Each structure stands twice: as structure tokens, then as C-alpha cells.
Amino acid sequence: MATLLAIGTAKGLFLATSTDDRRSWEITGPHFPMTGVYAVAVDTRRSTPRLLAGMTSSHFGPSVATSDDLGASWDEPDQAPVAFPADTGVSLGRVWQLMPAGPDEPDVVWAGTEPSALFKSTDGGRSFELVRSLWDHPHRPQWEAGFGGQAVHTVLPHPRDPARLLVAMSTGGVYRSEDAGASWAPGNTGIRAYFMPDEWPEFGQCVHKVARDAANPERLYAQNHHGVYRSDDDGRTWSSIADGLPSDFGFPMVAHPGRGGMVWTFPLVADGERFPTDHRCRVFRSADAGGKWEPLSVGLPEGPFYPAVLRDAMCADDASPGGVYFGTRSGSVFASRDEGDSWSSVAAHLPDVLCVRAAQV
């Protein structure tokens, strides 16, 4: 079995494949050259994996393409697969997230967009419809744009209950549905918004990324705009797990797909100083759901290191032992085949890395 690593960049999609247990990589691309690829998914629910890429062209605008032959060819519809209805009065900025649903819904794919909205596909990602209930939520007029735009960047289906779904946006925070998206409630209790007059609001937080625990689907991990949190009740309430980290600011939050309690993040100094802490290239890992954190840097660049890692530019694969990957804004991509204990280079000198996704194919 091979490992596929999809690397979305500011100037196209690159595909890295390893057939020797992630020791070496063959890279193809760029696919969709000169487009910003902000979202990638590898849908392994079908016998032949499907790749989905959300790209944005400065000339043609945003779109979603699919491939059923691991990137050898791509299908991009003539009509935009993700588009706001005319009565909304807005147009699509870009697709920020593509997320296949659980095994009970093999043709459902979710898309989070800018402006902040959720779309649903029932044909494997070839076409999407706006989820009106979230778009019409009374809070929506008060959702603001974060530094990177106003977007739904996290979509987390519940693996055991198709009716339960969680989204996160910047800004706006976490919202939960327990009726298959028919209604939504904020889930931000315990998450601080230091930049607001009321630092503990019902909604309005700038949540950067949320990940779900592999063993306990009620457990979630969140990287906030200053704050690292865990929820043990499916996002209803949150508590800090930032102790032990050199900073509580950053963007990615990745949970091990097969091992409960293990998460990785990449801390930055602060919102006003977006460099790695101590100017060192280090991933931080917790093996006990955020109780303790340890720095991981074996094989990573030594000396001063300044590039940041964006919210979707870190991921983990479903192999054993688990692989971890991240890409930087300077175009470097690194991989670990032992859950972060050691690292090696996958690629260098790529364009700005926006997202990465990995799977066994």
C-alpha cells in the first residue's frame, strides 16, 4: 500500500507518493498551476480513493475538482460546484475545507467556505448545496472576518452519529448541530476572546482549528487565537490545555486518527509576532489529551527558523505507526513516520504551503 500526501500551495497542488513506508517520496505537479489550493481531501470510503481539491484562480474564480485516479486526471464541472444562491446577495470567495462524511453516508461531502457558510454534497463532491440553516442563523450578521478572511475552516462530522456535526469559523467560533444540520447552537463556553469587550462571549471567538479525538469522539481539541483547549462533551464546554506549551498561539491542531489522546500543534510566539517560538522549528505533541506536551525536532532544521505553519498545513495519516506531516509558508514540507519522534524532508522550495492531507491508498 502506498502513502499519498496532497500538498496545496499558493500556486497549485503537488502530490507526493511513497511506496517504501514513507522513507522516500515521488512528487508530481503542480496540478492546477497558478491557483491557490486551500482545501484538499482524500476520500477513502470508496474502493478507489477520490481526491478533491478546492482551488481559487485569480482569473476564473473558485472551484472544486475531483480525481478518481490519484491525480492522473481531474474532473472540473462546467458549472461552479459550490455557489451561493442569487438571493443571498454574495459570491463565493474560496473553499476553505472539504470533509467527507462518515461511513454511514458514503456520498456526502461537506465544504466550508468564505464567506462563512457550509455546503453539502450528496454525490461525492461533484456538486454542493448551501446549508440554509447555518446561513440563516441569527448570529451570522455579527460574524466578523479574521486576519485571513471570514470562513468556515473546520467541519467535523461525528463518526458514530450522522445527525451530529460541528463547524468552526474565524471569527464566530464553534457551532454544533444535533439534527443533521437543521439547527445550530454555539459551543464556545470556556473559550476566551481577549480582543472583545466581553472576553467570554457566547459567540465571536476566533477559533483557528478544531480536531476530534480518535478513541473518544466526544473529546475535541481546539487551537484558538491565543488559547489551546479541550472539550470532553462534544464542544459544549472547553477547558485550557495550554500549560506546558511555549505559547498558546498558533494555527494547526491535529489529532492522531487511530490513537486516542495524541495531538500535535505548532506554536507561534503571538498574534503580533507570528514566528515559531524561540525561532526554532519544533512540533509539540501530547500523548495524554493535553495533560503534558513535549517538543519534537529530531531531523528538523536547526538554527533560526522563521516560517509559520497554517491551520490546514499539518495533518496525520492512517498508517501504523502514524505519520505526521507539515508544510511551511516558505515551501518546505516535512514528514515523520514515527508519530513525530523523528522527521525528514519531503519537499523544499515549493510555493507557500496552504494545506496538506495524507492517506494510505
Side-chain angles (χ1 to χ4, degrees):
M1 181 172 283
T3 301
L4 176 69
L5 175 64
I7 306 165
T9 78
K11 294 184 179 180
L13 174 69
F14 295 82
L15 298 176
T17 305
S18 176
T19 57
D20 58 359
D21 193 22
R22 302 161 291 177
R23 291 180 173 86
S24 63
W25 300 86
E26 180 180 343
I27 299 177
T28 65
H31 306 259
F32 316 110
M34 301 307 296
T35 69
V37 180
Y38 283 78
V40 178
V42 185
D43 188 352
T44 58
R45 297 173 298 174
R46 58 192 72 236
S47 57
T48 301
R50 173 170 291 175
L51 307 186
L52 301 100
M55 62 277 191
T56 303
S57 165
S58 59
H59 182 74
F60 296 106
S63 187
V64 174
T66 60
S67 174
D68 291 333
D69 52 16
L70 300 180
S73 63
W74 292 88
D75 178 25
E76 185 178 353
D78 293 333
Q79 300 296 320
V82 181
F84 282 90
D87 68 296
T88 62
V90 301
S91 59
L92 179 67
R94 62 173 54 101
V95 174
W96 278 79
Q97 183 84 156
L98 290 165
M99 177 59 68
D104 294 334
E105 299 178 300
D107 294 318
V108 172
V109 178
W110 300 95
T113 69
E114 178 186 344
S116 292
L118 181 67
F119 287 76
K120 181 179 182 179
S121 170
T122 57
D123 57 7
R126 298 185 184 278
S127 64
F128 292 80
E129 291 187 4
L130 176 67
V131 177
R132 285 280 186 172
S133 54
L134 186 62
W135 181 254
D136 293 334
H137 197 283
H139 292 171
R140 185 179 65 80
Q142 300 176 67
W143 298 340
E144 301 290 344
F147 187 72
Q150 185 204 64
V152 170
H153 52 64
T154 298
V155 184
L156 294 177
H158 195 284
R160 299 175 187 172
D161 184 353
R164 293 163 66 183
L165 184 67
L166 179 143
V167 301
M169 65 189 76
S170 181
T171 65
V174 172
Y175 282 77
R176 305 172 57 257
S177 177
E178 297 183 349
D179 51 15
S183 63
W184 298 85
N188 300 293
T189 301
I191 298 180
R192 183 177 176 226
Y194 84 91
F195 47 83
M196 297 182 70
D198 174 6
E199 294 189 357
W200 304 97
E202 181 186 15
F203 65 94
Q205 286 83 348
C206 188
V207 175
H208 287 177
K209 197 64 187 175
V210 181
R212 193 183 295 276
D213 190 82
N216 178 5
E218 306 302 303
R219 176 168 286 172
L220 301 164
Y221 309 94
Q223 174 65 65
N224 192 52
H225 190 106
H226 280 296
V228 183
Y229 298 94
R230 188 184 76 215
S231 171
D232 294 321
D233 54 12
D234 196 31
R236 294 175 179 84
T237 62
W238 300 83
S239 58
S240 176
I241 54 171
D243 287 350
L245 288 168
S247 168
D248 65 357
F249 186 83
F251 287 96
M253 179 61 69
V254 174
H256 196 301
R259 180 176 172 183
M262 182 167 284
V263 287
W264 299 269
T265 189
F266 193 96
L268 304 178
V269 176
D271 54 0
E273 191 176 346
R274 300 184 182 202
F275 301 112
T277 54
D278 300 320
H279 298 163
R280 297 173 62 188
C281 186
R282 295 179 298 176
V283 173
F284 279 74
R285 178 181 66 193
S286 175
D288 61 358
K292 298 184 295 292
W293 295 92
E294 59 179 322
L296 309 170
S297 61
V298 175
L300 293 176
E302 299 180 356
F305 189 85
Y306 300 101
V309 176
L310 297 179
R311 74 180 90 240
D312 277 309
M314 178 180 282
C315 71
D317 67 26
D318 50 354
S320 181
V324 193
Y325 310 85
F326 70 93
T328 71
R329 300 208 67 178
S330 63
S332 296
V333 180
F334 300 97
S336 171
R337 53 192 295 270
D338 52 16
E339 299 177 342
D341 288 339
S342 62
W343 300 84
S344 61
S345 174
V346 174
H349 312 301
L350 297 180
D352 187 351
V353 177
L354 306 175
C355 62
V356 293
R357 287 293 181 269
Q360 303 293 292
V361 296

